[in-house]
């Protein structure tokens, strides 16, 4: 409950226009702990640096608000260009994207633009051993994102497209069961948005228990599972679970956010686990940065110290 209150306060303050103005003009230096840079070259360099420690990358172009097909298509073009640049640099084009940024909800020739653009990205990434992960946004988008994941998964197969399930939503166990026929590639997260009690658990212990159940169920079903958390207790339990159930290391990976628990990322890689860091880049870094601060009080202190000294 205290965690929820903290998160709510930070996200409300961060949404204040005056705070946003100050942060956007003065906060970039601090945001660089979590964001690789503004350009595609910056993220490619970040992946190359991580690769030295045996860590892969999830490539995320930041950009959260799209109001027209033109903006969505321009965003998709930037991602297509990232795929080309990554492939040319010898970096796997493992892209992660919010379908809203690709035009989800906008219709072109009777079809959803988010789906059309997702298809273009997968087709471009596939010959280079790439992958497209569909991030999960707030709860009103879950139905449409899962439906579009189903379409893409049927078209391309689970080796080229995956999505995300959030353990805090009451609906997620049912969603997992409904996806079983796809043998889905799933990233399991706790959930980063401020959601009401009617749709999401509010208690950390419940969210954590749900998280473990989802990961274990997807692993036991033989599906590729991206265990996306910084929670050391859960990571240790997953290590024990895979040992106890004879689940091979090729069937799962740990995923963590760029700039968060770098020590743990390196340690897991040195222990021989597959590890990938979620690396954002681009100009629209503020909403992403706000969510990271909302996840942890010490991140807010880091920002305050950075801005006001001390
Ligand atoms: P929890 O919040 O319980 O934290 C456990 C411990 O991890 C903390 O005690 C702290 O030590 C450390 N920690 C967590 N967050 C930290 C931070 N920001 N800075 C420093 N330390 C931190 N969400 C979503 O809704 N849709 C999505 O598509 C994704 N995608 C995604 C991809 C990847 C690779 C990750 C790691 C996370 C996401 N998320 C997400 C975010 C996710 O829902 C969640 O908000 C964060 O991962 C924080 O939750 P934890 O599981 O880390 O546990």
């Amino acid at each position: 409950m205290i965690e929820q209150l903290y998160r709510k306060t930070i996200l409300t303050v961060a949404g204040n226009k005056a705070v946003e103005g100050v942060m956007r003009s003065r906060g970039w230096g601090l945001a660089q702990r979590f964001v690789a840079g503004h350009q595609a070259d910056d993220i490619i360099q970040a992946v190359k640096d991580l690769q030295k420690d045996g860590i892969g990358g999830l490539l995320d172009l930041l950009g959260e608000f799209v109001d027209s097909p033109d903006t969505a298509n321009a965003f998709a073009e930037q991602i297509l260009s990232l795929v080309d640049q990554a492939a040319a640099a010898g970096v796997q084009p493992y892209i992660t994207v919010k379908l809203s940024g690709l035009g989800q909800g906008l219709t072109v020739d009777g079809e959803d633009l988010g789906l059309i653009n997702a298809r273009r990205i997968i087709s471009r990434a596939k010959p280079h051993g790439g992958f497209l992960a569909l991030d999960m946004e707030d709860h009103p988008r879950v139905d449409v994102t899962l439906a579009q994941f189903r379409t893409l998964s049927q078209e391309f197969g689970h080796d080229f497209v995956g999505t995300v399930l959030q353990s805090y939503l009451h609906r997620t166990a049912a969603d997992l069961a409904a996806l079983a026929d796809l043998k889905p590639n799933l990233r399991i997260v706790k959930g980063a948005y401020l959601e009401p009690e009617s749709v999401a658990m509010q208690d950390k212990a419940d969210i954590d228990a749900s998280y473990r159940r989802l990961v274990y169920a997807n692993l036991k079903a033989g599906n590729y599972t991206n265990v996306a958390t910084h929670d050391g207790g859960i990571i240790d339990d997953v290590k024990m679970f895979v040992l106890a159930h004879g689940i091979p290391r090729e069937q799962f990976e740990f995923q963590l956010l760029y700039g968060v628990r770098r020590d743990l990322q390196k340690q897991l890689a040195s222990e021989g686990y597959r590890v990938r860091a979620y690396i954002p880049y681009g100009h629209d870094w503020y909403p992403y940065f706000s969510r990271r601060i909302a996840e942890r009080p010490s991140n807010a202190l880091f920002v305050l110290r950075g801005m006001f000294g001390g």
Side-chain angles (χ1 to χ4, degrees), residues 145-180:
T145 300
L146 291 181
Q148 294 180 339
F149 168 64
R150 171 167 288 281
T151 303
L152 294 167
S153 202
Q154 283 165 342
E155 287 175 15
F156 293 95
H158 55 225
D159 287 339
F160 298 100
V161 61
T163 193
V164 178
L165 293 182
Q166 298 155 320
S167 74
Y168 63 8
L169 294 183
H170 300 307
R171 58 177 287 170
T172 300
D175 287 336
L176 179 70
L179 292 172

Side-chain angles (χ1 to χ4, degrees), residues 19-141:
V19 173
E20 181 172 343
V22 173
M23 286 302 295
R24 278 191 187 273
S25 64
R26 296 178 56 187
W28 169 241
L30 299 167
Q32 285 180 74
R33 173 176 154 188
F34 301 108
V35 179
H38 289 317
Q39 312 295 341
D41 283 349
D42 298 325
I43 191 171
I44 289 170
Q45 189 54 50
V47 182
K48 287 188 163 175
D49 290 343
L50 286 170
Q51 279 173 349
K52 291 178 196 149
D53 291 321
I55 298 167
L58 288 133
L59 283 50
D60 171 40
L61 173 59
L62 294 166
E64 310 222 355
F65 293 103
V66 158
D67 50 9
S68 71
D70 284 350
T71 350
N73 288 333
F75 187 67
E77 286 299 332
Q78 285 188 70
I79 297 179
L80 291 169
S81 153
L82 171 65
V83 169
D84 293 341
Q85 288 179 66
V91 164
Q92 184 195 16
Y94 189 124
I95 306 291
T96 186
V97 75
K98 291 178 178 48
L99 282 172
S100 60
L102 294 180
Q104 186 183 66
L106 302 171
T107 306
V108 172
D109 296 333
E111 198 165 33
D112 187 277
L113 185 57
L115 186 60
I116 296 171
N117 277 327
R119 225 177 245 137
R120 293 170 68 205
I121 296 168
I122 301 170
S123 303
R124 187 74 70 92
K126 193 175 158 178
H128 304 291
F131 189 86
L132 184 68
L134 312 175
D135 283 356
M136 194 56 77
E137 301 178 65
D138 52 352
H139 78 272
R141 289 194 181 266

